[in-house]
Amino acid sequence: MEVSHLHRASMPQPVVRSTSPRPLCFVDRVSGWSLRSSGGLNQLRSGRWRRCCSASRSETLVAEENGKRMEVVSKKDEVGDLKSWMEKNGLPPSKVVLRDRPSHDEKLKSIHYVAASEDLQPGDVAFSVPNSLVVTLERVLGNETIAELLTTNKLSELACLALYLMYEKKQGKKSFWYPYIRELDRQRGRGQLAVESPLLWSDTELAYLTGSPTKAEVLKRAEGIKREYSELDTVWFMAGSLFQQYPYDIPTEAFPFEIFKQAFVAVQSCVVHLQKVSLARRFALVPLGPPLLTYRSNCKAMLTAVDGAVQLIVDRPYKAGDPIVVWCGPQPNSRLLLNYGFVDEDNPYDRIVIEAALNTEDPQYQDKRMVAQRNGKLSLQNFNVSVGKEKEAILDMLPYMRLGYLTNSSEMQSVISSQGPTCPVSPCMERAVLDQLAEYFRKRLVGYPTSMNEDDLLLADPNLNPRKRVATQLVLMEKKIINACLQFTIDLINQLPDHTLAPCPAPYAPLLK
């Protein structure tokens, strides 16, 4: 869970000890956390940090208020790693180890990943994490009924999980989950390419996605996180376990929005969707799971719930030291980038979406809407264009587009009385439909600030900023799908028997977005 300040993430997460006996609250200006002792709600607004010089490599940070000294202990005294902690708390013998992968930024810590500790064959159990080491809503809320109530009322499971781990982090080493939270802090919500979700990018970095619908999705998701933040107090009050454990720490007072956002994004990057379990256990945070595991679109291995545990059975052979990979579900690259900070160039589930709508000003709109519904389409229809299947997608769109172009009422009645999606197609109508599609694809390509050749040159630079690299990979793959659609549409135009024929007028042509 990313809960550290983005520009100072390399600093150790402090544990605060106060020489003052009274309850204190101060803002840790290194990590951005608002830290409180269990009884205090008043913020320390005048606290100042100063760095003490030390011959030791680890640094000591000191906060002062009214002459009172509060020591912030570094991680120098921390012992053991995540796997050691798990083994001490019930993890059965496993066939994995934790390895390091360097970060793209030398100021940031390396990224841990799960690797095979021995040669593995398909069907081997890599590890089995007992439920006592898995964080679910059932554990967070202390009541399965409350968990189902919250999810039914559209309060995000991710918000609840993020809130719980934020509270647990405030406990420092007193928290049972301290080693796991420390590992999530180390990862900083970074995906396997060491890049955070665009939800944490600056406006300048979001501009890398100009032309892509993903940019609008990022902004929409960010607004959703703000709405989740406004509901945190409700979650805290309804959750018996949280209310009893932290009776004075009202969430929106304890945690500023930016900290919650970072925690939310980090939880989003590592939450596992378990199948065939109750709603209260469906979303789970599994130590040794993502982001320590590498997602791959062509993998079929998944974390699965079994009696009393969550286990991973590998789907391919591994040599000792190989990174362990798991399936991330049938997600397009736009979703992979938004959720996990990476894209997969070999993703068979990648796609773009074309939104088509029947013109509501058309006098025959209701009849056309009825015909569309009869054939499994809506008046506002999304057409998914999957990579490698652009031809099939265009052929699926054509009947819908032709329906929108009908203007003759007798032809419309003929379509209504027919049993299939076939519309009367004149040569000039077909040309108009294809011309509209071709123009739509050209406009989408022009909407990107760079060409595909320019993207290739950018990606050839080994020193390209990692965030710009994944953004460029995403937009290039989108462009390739759009360009394939354009080329197939042009091929259909070239197959028309009469190229001198002018397109039919289209006063109520379908709208494309």
Side-chain angles (χ1 to χ4, degrees):
M1 178 182 56
E2 171 53 54
V3 288
S4 300
H5 193 285
L6 294 179
H7 300 294
R8 298 295 300 273
S10 61
M11 300 298 293
Q13 172 60 36
V15 179
V16 180
R17 295 173 184 162
S18 173
T19 57
S20 171
R22 63 188 179 88
L24 292 172
C25 167
F26 66 94
V27 176
D28 169 0
R29 304 193 190 283
V30 176
S31 69
W33 274 84
S34 175
L35 301 175
R36 298 185 177 152
S37 61
S38 60
L41 286 177
N42 295 323
Q43 293 185 345
L44 173 60
R45 302 183 183 277
S46 60
R48 294 184 296 108
W49 286 105
R50 64 180 176 84
R51 185 170 297 176
C52 295
C53 299
S54 172
S56 170
R57 185 175 179 181
S58 59
E59 297 174 288
T60 301
L61 298 179
V62 175
E64 290 185 351
E65 182 202 18
N66 300 327
K68 291 189 171 69
R69 188 172 185 271
M70 285 176 282
E71 182 183 6
V72 183
V73 183
S74 75
K75 286 186 180 178
K76 183 179 179 181
D77 61 335
E78 292 177 353
V79 294
D81 61 9
L82 175 68
K83 191 163 179 286
S84 299
W85 166 74
M86 295 177 69
E87 290 169 343
K88 291 177 182 178
N89 288 279
L91 179 71
S94 63
K95 299 178 181 179
V96 298
V97 293
L98 290 181
R99 294 283 180 88
D100 275 357
R101 177 185 294 120
S103 173
H104 63 83
D105 188 339
E106 62 182 11
K107 296 179 181 179
L108 302 179
K109 291 184 178 180
S110 58
I111 295 177
H112 285 157
Y113 66 94
V114 171
S117 60
E118 59 187 75
D119 292 352
L120 299 177
Q121 297 300 320
D124 286 349
V125 176
F127 59 78
S128 182
V129 179
N131 287 343
S132 58
L133 294 174
V134 176
V135 183
T136 63
L137 288 186
E138 187 175 31
R139 177 187 298 276
V140 171
L141 304 178
N143 185 299
E144 183 172 342
T145 302
I146 294 296
E148 293 185 3
L149 177 63
L150 287 172
T151 55
T152 299
N153 284 278
K154 309 303 181 183
L155 291 176
S156 168
E157 294 93 339
L158 299 183
C160 298
L161 293 172
L163 179 61
Y164 177 71
L165 289 189
M166 286 193 297
Y167 274 129
E168 284 297 309
K169 177 165 182 173
K170 288 179 64 178
Q171 307 305 304
K173 292 183 180 180
K174 295 179 181 179
S175 171
F176 173 76
W177 301 105
Y178 173 74
Y180 181 41
I181 294 172
R182 185 179 67 187
E183 183 62 41
L184 294 178
D185 276 341
R186 180 191 186 94
Q187 299 297 113
R188 299 180 65 248
R190 294 173 291 177
Q192 58 204 51
L193 298 179
V195 174
E196 300 90 342
S197 163
L199 289 163
L200 298 179
W201 294 7
S202 67
D203 290 342
T204 300
E205 291 164 334
L206 280 179
Y208 301 153
L209 297 171
T210 298
S212 171
T214 305
K215 184 177 180 180
E217 285 297 315
V218 172
L219 299 176
K220 181 179 178 180
R221 181 77 64 88
E223 287 299 317
I225 295 175
K226 286 184 179 179
R227 290 193 295 272
E228 293 282 359
Y229 181 73
S230 68
E231 296 290 341
L232 286 187
D233 294 350
T234 301
V235 175
W236 169 81
F237 183 76
M238 293 182 67
S241 58
L242 290 176
F243 184 79
Q244 293 168 12
Q245 190 170 355
Y246 315 106
Y248 303 108
D249 292 347
I250 299 174
T252 54
E253 294 182 7
F255 309 109
F257 170 70
E258 284 302 318
I259 298 303
F260 170 72
K261 180 180 178 180
Q262 293 172 27
F264 184 99
V265 172
V267 168
Q268 172 184 270
S269 72
C270 59
V271 73
V272 176
H273 298 245
L274 298 177
Q275 306 296 316
K276 300 179 180 179
V277 296
S278 66
L279 285 176
R281 294 184 56 215
R282 180 179 56 180
F283 288 80
L285 298 175
V286 184
L288 295 184
L292 299 176
L293 291 172
T294 300
Y295 278 138
R296 187 168 295 171
S297 300
N298 61 3
C299 177
K300 293 302 179 184
M302 297 175 62
L303 286 167
T304 56
V306 296
D307 290 340
V310 175
Q311 71 175 15
L312 175 64
I313 299 177
V314 299
D315 70 331
R316 61 192 64 195
Y318 291 92
K319 294 293 185 182
D322 288 347
I324 302 294
V325 299
V326 294
W327 190 40
C328 50
Q331 301 186 62
N333 280 318
S334 58
R335 189 67 57 82
L336 295 181
L337 180 60
L338 183 58
N339 289 341
Y340 314 116
F342 81 101
V343 295
D344 186 348
E345 293 183 326
D346 297 318
N347 185 357
Y349 306 102
D350 199 20
R351 63 179 181 268
I352 65 168
V353 177
I354 300 174
E355 182 182 290
L358 297 175
N359 196 321
T360 56
E361 296 181 359
D362 189 338
Q364 301 185 94
Y365 170 76
Q366 292 298 339
D367 288 339
K368 292 180 179 181
R369 178 172 173 267
M370 178 187 66
V371 172
Q373 291 178 341
R374 190 175 65 189
N375 290 281
K377 300 292 190 290
L378 302 173
S379 57
L380 179 61
Q381 178 67 39
N382 285 338
F383 291 90
N384 291 322
V385 185
S386 298
V387 60
K389 297 182 178 180
E390 295 86 358
K391 176 180 178 180
E392 292 86 342
I394 298 300
L395 294 177
D396 185 39
M397 288 186 65
L398 286 178
Y400 188 90
M401 297 292 294
R402 292 165 183 155
L403 176 64
Y405 269 78
L406 285 179
T407 56
N408 188 293
S409 59
S410 62
E411 290 180 342
M412 191 68 240
Q413 290 304 313
S414 175
V415 171
I416 292 174
S417 62
S418 69
Q419 297 301 314
T422 303
C423 295
V425 180
S426 65
C428 74
M429 176 193 289
E430 191 72 351
R431 180 60 186 263
V433 168
L434 294 175
D435 278 359
Q436 184 184 1
L437 283 173
E439 182 63 20
Y440 165 79
F441 294 128
R442 290 190 184 99
K443 284 184 177 179
R444 283 196 65 164
L445 289 173
V446 171
Y448 295 97
T450 57
S451 67
M452 289 191 286
N453 287 337
E454 289 171 328
D455 292 340
D456 285 330
L457 289 175
L458 280 173
L459 294 174
D461 180 3
N463 298 317
L464 184 64
N465 175 283
R467 292 184 178 184
K468 190 166 187 177
R469 179 174 297 278
V470 294
T472 303
Q473 288 174 324
L474 176 74
V475 298
L476 177 57
M477 287 182 281
E478 289 178 348
K479 292 172 191 175
K480 288 180 177 179
I481 295 176
I482 296 169
N483 188 64
C485 289
L486 174 60
Q487 294 306 313
F488 179 66
T489 303
I490 292 174
D491 289 344
L492 292 178
I493 293 174
N494 291 334
Q495 293 171 22
L496 294 175
D498 186 356
H499 295 284
T500 64
L501 188 65
C504 289
Y508 304 111
L511 307 176
L512 296 178
K513 182 179 178 181

